[in-house]
Amino acid sequence: TSFEFTIPHGAEVVINIYDLNGRLVSTVHNAYTMPGIYRATWNGMSEASGVYFYELSAEPYYKQRGKMTLIK
């Protein structure tokens, strides 16, 4: 599963994936990121099919959350 994100200003960017119970499943990205458009990929092969949530944090500028469905 992959998704695109845009960083308008250089920032420490963290993208975490959580299951329906709020358990952290994976950290997809955790690094200082320069401005630009990026694609993050989550390999959910070790997880069950279902709904997962992602949280993109680019402190101190913004935080974005969304949901995705993993189908195997």
Side-chain angles (χ1 to χ4, degrees), residues 20-39:
L20 279 175
N21 295 319
R23 180 180 64 93
L24 177 63
V25 171
S26 178
T27 298
V28 176
H29 185 89
N30 185 7
Y32 185 85
T33 306
M34 298 300 290
I37 299 171
Y38 297 89
R39 179 168 296 281

